[in-house]
Amino acid sequence: MTNPDLSGALTLASPEACLAHYRAWAESYDAGFASDMEYRLPAHVAAAFMAAGGGSPVLDIGAGTGLLAERLRDMGQDGPIDAVDFSAEMLERARAKGIYRRLTQADITRPIALPRQYGGLVSSGTFTAGHVGPDALPNLLALALPGARFALSVNLRVWQAMGFDRALANLQDAGHIAGMQVIEVQVYGPAAATIDPAHADDRAQIVLFRVA
Ligand SMILES: C[S@@+](CC[C@H](N)C(=O)[O-])C[C@H]1O[C@@H](n2cnc3c(N)ncnc32)[C@H](O)[C@@H]1O
């Protein structure tokens, strides 16, 4: 059995196609995709963020149905967590969980109409093929307080291919961010091998840094 939802997600060619894809995927995302594939990335990002010292309030970037915020709560993050995502349907699933203080529907590839107020900015699964590239990073830095901590996953398929390595190095060289660390993790658990062999071994970089 293949997983057309994930395969389709990784080949999206435009923001409109991405929105349409998540409109259809929202209902089955948690109980289907995340459960069947043993989707571990939100837990890895939450663990890396907390181990590095955390930060508050938190903005969950491309929050989707709220899996990363659930893991942050499990791991003891008790301050406010806000969500930003451009899919209304995914945000409705997240809202129903009652975890987020505020949910904002916005395209993160454009300037985001939120104040600079976050001490922690986290993201799982949003920086991947068919999704968001490094051009969004300045829009996110614009929301971060001085010293804010970032923990962002970047799928290894796009780490060099979309230029995340260069963009982050440039931000560090220019003195905008500091203390960058990269941790490589497995995106899915063992069950993924029987569900979607083409993606079962996907790996991601979790990028940790602070705003200088
Ligand atoms: C793979 S899902 C990850 C959701 C959640 N973080 C998780 O780990 O389960 C990617 C999310 O990014 C959102 N997304 C994609 N492109 C976006 C953009 N340009 N602006 C805001 N959100 C976007 C999608 O709507 C979707 O909810």
Side-chain angles (χ1 to χ4, degrees):
M1 177 180 147
T2 59
N3 185 333
D5 288 338
L6 175 61
S7 298
L10 298 179
T11 55
L12 294 166
S14 69
E16 294 74 24
C18 194
L19 273 174
H21 189 86
Y22 280 99
R23 189 173 305 128
W25 203 8
E27 187 179 348
S28 64
Y29 186 89
D30 283 14
F33 159 72
S35 170
D36 293 350
M37 294 285 282
E38 296 180 343
Y39 178 49
R40 293 177 168 174
L41 196 54
H44 284 309
V45 174
F49 179 71
M50 297 302 280
S56 184
V58 171
L59 181 65
D60 182 359
I61 301 150
T65 61
L67 296 176
L68 174 50
E70 288 185 278
R71 300 291 81 77
L72 284 171
R73 285 283 185 252
D74 292 345
M75 294 177 196
Q77 178 74 29
D78 52 10
I81 307 177
D82 292 349
V84 63
D85 198 293
F86 74 171
S87 166
E89 291 79 8
M90 294 294 272
L91 283 178
E92 269 320 299
R93 300 275 155 184
R95 188 189 308 279
K97 293 178 179 172
I99 301 171
Y100 293 103
R101 173 180 68 174
R102 177 187 305 158
L103 299 97
T104 300
Q105 187 181 358
D107 180 349
I108 63 167
T109 65
R110 298 172 182 202
I112 304 163
L114 286 172
R116 184 185 293 277
Q117 60 178 319
Y118 295 104
L121 294 97
V122 298
S123 184
S124 69
T126 301
F127 300 104
T128 189
H131 286 59
V132 181
D135 292 354
L137 292 171
N139 301 330
L140 303 173
L141 287 167
L143 309 182
L145 294 169
R149 187 183 312 282
F150 277 69
L152 310 176
S153 80
V154 180
N155 193 291
L156 259 186
R157 293 170 189 262
V158 301
W159 173 250
Q160 289 185 328
M162 288 179 87
F164 282 95
D165 54 344
R166 291 187 304 279
L168 288 159
N170 288 342
L171 286 170
Q172 186 157 251
D173 291 347
H176 297 309
I177 66 173
M180 189 164 71
Q181 281 177 267
V182 178
I183 303 167
E184 196 174 312
V185 299
Q186 199 79 33
V187 177
Y188 305 107
T194 53
I195 308 264
D196 185 349
H199 300 104
D201 289 330
D202 267 17
R203 300 184 70 80
Q205 309 274 39
I206 297 177
V207 191
L208 289 159
F209 57 84
R210 298 196 74 141
V211 175

